Amino acid sequence: MASATTFSFSMQILIVSLTLCSLSFLFCSAFTSHDYSDALEKSILFFEGQRSGKLPSNQRLTWRGDSGLSDGTSYHVDLVGGYYDAGDNVKFGLPMAFTTTLLAWSVIEFGGSMQNQVVNAKAAIRWSTDYLLKAASDTPDALYVQVGDPNMDHRCWERPEDMDTPRNVYKVSPQNPGSDVAAETAAALAAASIVFEDSDPSYASKLLETAMNVFDFADKHRGSYSDSLNSVVCPFYCSYSGYHDELLWGASWLHRASQNSSYMSYIQSNGHVLGADDDDYSFSWDDKRAGTKVLLSKAFLEKNTQEFQLYKSHSDKYICSLIPGTSSFQAQYTPGGLLYKASESNLQYVTTTSFLLLTYAKYLSSNGGVATCGSSTVTAENLVALAKKQVDYILGNNPEKFSYMVGFGQKYPQHVHHRGSSLPSIQAHPGRIACNDGFQYLDSGTPNPNVLVGAILGGPDSRDNFADDRNNYQQSEPATYINAPFVGAVAFFSAKTATK
């Protein structure tokens, strides 16, 4: 009975895919392994355009220069380094930590497919973890979670090399807790410790030890950083989902990285309170529930760890919500076949979903498992096919024949909502461009002078339409957390022979 249902469902998926192809002007041509490898290299290169601090001699996006070299100085801490989150010049701790966790998870699951790019991927992770270590270690019982006043920053259109807006420093503490940002930071450091455990064991140990300390801080002093920091982080990166999801996520990563039984006990004792029974159908810098379910399902699928069977069941519910034809299907797709969640920065949900589809497919394949969707079953191959459709759409297999990765393909965005990319570089224009003087470049109709290679933008609307307009930040702004999971997804396909 199961095999017949699986076959029937596979046919449904095929029919849906073929229908989408025919409705979308037959854009179902395939990318080659070389294309995916090119996209992989560029998706990692993008992070060099987001770097803050003293740039290294091997910096490849040479239109960028040093910036933020005194970050933290007036507060007697060293907070130089890290990443600007998107098109502005603020270092936001919550999305930076999530970006780092997803970059590390990409290498953990698919680093074997990255070939020579794994070195660059590790460098991208380390650029962030070096900063996060300082943010977590410079002051006892505190975690520095942001550099820059976003309200002041957004009043200017300045290159990071020129910025003269206030570089205020913000932290969470026992009196002003931030369990969400602290537990995400712990997750990032723990995941990164796995990445470096073979190539740099002493660094990995430092990462893991710091992760444990930061997690203890997050768990002991509970509260949301949105309540503690208010308008400094809201509405930019408000923790809308609260902090329970990050505590379970952080504990899950510490369990995987340390193999310390205390984290298994923590998950068992606190899981139900922290969201183990919740079904949520998106995965983002704010909400970690779907990612946690998939992460913890690994132990059940690969080692039959019965304590985590619950997470496999909830992972199935998440997966089934994405698959047309199942009784649990509830996702929205554009006419061209793109997963659609939000009008602003929709591709962040597409890249995280694609990554979870491929990761769960990998875990299922370890023992021939399937996802159970009511009376239907969905195979790992079904999940890979859906992820491929999303990845290919981003790279240009869409009704507009338009790549949403800058610098990839023949046709891609030219008017990216990004200060450093849209203003003349310091090499081309050594003189300072002041706060208000930069807005002429924001409003200009000319293409960005500096190509932010590899940046994936917010993406098209629910009807597959995209306005290549610098002022339309909802569609034209890149972000580190859009790219991070895409690194893993495109690495997977770079190792496969593309088929139609």
Side-chain angles (χ1 to χ4, degrees):
M1 182 67 181
S3 60
T5 307
T6 301
F7 175 77
S8 173
F9 187 73
S10 298
M11 291 302 294
Q12 276 187 315
I13 290 291
L14 180 60
I15 291 167
V16 169
S17 298
L18 290 175
T19 302
L20 286 172
C21 288
S22 62
L23 289 176
S24 304
F25 311 105
L26 294 173
F27 60 80
C28 287
S29 59
F31 290 107
T32 66
S33 178
H34 179 269
D35 293 329
Y36 292 122
S37 296
D38 182 38
L40 170 63
E41 180 176 7
K42 288 172 177 172
S43 67
I44 300 168
L45 180 59
F46 157 73
F47 289 93
E48 296 193 13
Q50 299 303 111
R51 283 173 169 172
S52 182
K54 177 73 175 174
L55 301 185
S57 58
N58 63 353
Q59 170 82 9
R60 292 175 293 168
L61 288 185
T62 54
W63 50 266
R64 277 297 321 281
D66 299 342
S67 63
L69 297 181
S70 60
D71 281 357
T73 302
S74 59
Y75 296 79
H76 309 292
V77 290
D78 175 9
L79 295 174
V80 176
Y83 288 117
Y84 303 118
D85 68 302
D88 56 23
N89 300 325
V90 182
K91 296 191 295 201
F92 291 99
L94 183 57
M96 193 194 308
F98 179 69
T99 292
T100 310
T101 310
L102 268 289
L103 271 176
W105 201 3
S106 290
V107 172
I108 291 165
E109 301 297 349
F110 304 113
S113 300
M114 292 182 183
Q115 299 182 350
N116 62 334
Q117 289 306 312
V118 74
V119 174
N120 292 324
K122 285 184 174 182
I125 295 166
R126 192 161 189 152
W127 192 268
S128 186
T129 52
D130 282 351
Y131 171 84
L132 294 175
L133 283 172
K134 293 189 288 188
S137 306
D138 269 9
T139 304
D141 248 1
L143 173 68
Y144 293 94
V145 299
Q146 188 166 312
V147 180
D149 180 334
N151 296 291
M152 296 297 290
D153 179 90
H154 290 183
R155 292 177 190 171
C156 294
W157 195 260
E158 284 183 310
R159 301 177 295 197
E161 296 83 3
D162 282 338
M163 63 180 162
D164 53 2
T165 50
R167 300 301 286 170
N168 297 354
V169 168
Y170 304 94
K171 67 180 180 181
V172 293
S173 65
Q175 297 74 33
N176 294 287
S179 300
D180 28 34
V181 65
E184 182 62 64
T185 301
L189 296 172
S193 75
I194 301 173
V195 171
F196 292 104
E197 63 185 351
D198 292 331
S199 58
D200 194 340
S202 62
Y203 186 64
S205 295
K206 185 177 183 181
L207 291 170
L208 185 55
E209 179 184 356
T210 307
M212 291 175 171
N213 292 335
V214 175
F215 182 80
D216 288 345
F217 170 78
D219 190 42
K220 182 179 179 182
H221 306 290
R222 292 194 179 190
S224 172
Y225 93 141
S226 300
D227 295 330
S228 297
L229 296 175
N230 298 306
S231 62
V232 172
V233 297
C234 296
F236 313 101
Y237 291 104
C238 249
S239 183
Y240 298 104
S241 68
Y243 61 84
H244 284 177
D245 56 313
E246 276 88 8
L247 285 174
L248 190 56
W249 172 245
S252 302
W253 274 110
L254 281 162
H255 167 68
R256 181 158 174 181
S258 70
Q259 296 300 307
N260 185 319
S261 62
S262 67
Y263 295 107
M264 166 75 91
S265 299
Y266 181 95
I267 293 165
Q268 288 181 270
S269 300
N270 297 279
H272 296 292
V273 174
L274 299 179
D277 302 307
D278 298 346
D279 285 310
D280 190 72
Y281 300 104
S282 66
F283 179 45
S284 70
W285 57 263
D286 177 40
D287 196 334
K288 316 298 157 54
R289 286 174 289 185
T292 302
K293 306 300 193 325
V294 170
L295 178 65
L296 290 178
S297 72
K298 180 178 191 290
F300 174 74
L301 287 165
E302 295 183 358
K303 300 177 183 177
N304 200 31
T305 305
Q306 289 300 313
E307 292 86 347
F308 292 149
Q309 194 276 334
L310 168 73
Y311 298 95
K312 197 274 182 188
S313 298
H314 283 283
S315 294
D316 283 0
K317 289 182 180 179
Y318 166 71
I319 293 298
C320 297
S321 75
L322 300 167
I323 307 292
T326 68
S327 57
S328 307
F329 175 63
Q330 61 172 263
Q332 179 184 348
Y333 291 89
T334 68
L338 180 71
L339 177 69
Y340 189 79
K341 285 279 187 183
S343 59
E344 183 174 330
S345 193
N346 180 63
L347 288 186
Q348 67 175 302
Y349 304 104
V350 179
T351 59
T352 55
T353 300
S354 299
F355 179 83
L356 289 185
L357 284 166
L358 293 171
T359 300
Y360 198 51
K362 178 183 175 183
Y363 297 167
L364 289 173
S365 297
S366 66
N367 72 348
V370 295
T372 302
C373 304
S375 59
S376 304
T377 55
V378 181
T379 67
E381 289 76 15
N382 296 141
L383 306 191
V384 171
L386 180 56
K388 185 176 186 297
K389 185 164 190 61
Q390 303 307 302
V391 169
D392 287 0
Y393 186 109
I394 290 173
L395 294 178
N397 250 356
N398 54 58
E400 297 296 315
K401 299 287 196 296
F402 191 85
S403 167
Y404 293 102
M405 175 183 280
V406 175
F408 182 88
Q410 298 301 309
K411 189 179 173 187
Y412 53 82
Q414 302 292 317
H415 305 89
V416 181
H417 183 95
H418 188 276
R419 286 159 175 76
S421 175
S422 66
L423 289 151
S425 70
I426 54 173
Q427 292 90 346
H429 190 296
R432 184 172 170 274
I433 301 173
C435 169
N436 290 323
D437 293 343
F439 283 106
Q440 62 181 303
Y441 299 99
L442 169 64
D443 298 330
S444 166
T446 58
N448 286 22
N450 311 306
V451 181
L452 188 61
V453 177
I456 301 173
L457 306 193
D461 65 15
S462 62
R463 304 298 298 173
D464 300 299
N465 299 313
F466 177 78
D468 189 6
D469 177 356
R470 204 174 289 117
N471 271 296
N472 181 15
Y473 70 89
Q474 295 93 335
Q475 291 189 316
S476 66
E477 187 169 18
T480 57
Y481 45 85
I482 304 178
N483 269 62
F486 193 79
V487 169
V490 78
F492 172 85
F493 290 113
S494 72
K496 306 294 177 185
T497 300
T499 56
K500 289 191 178 182

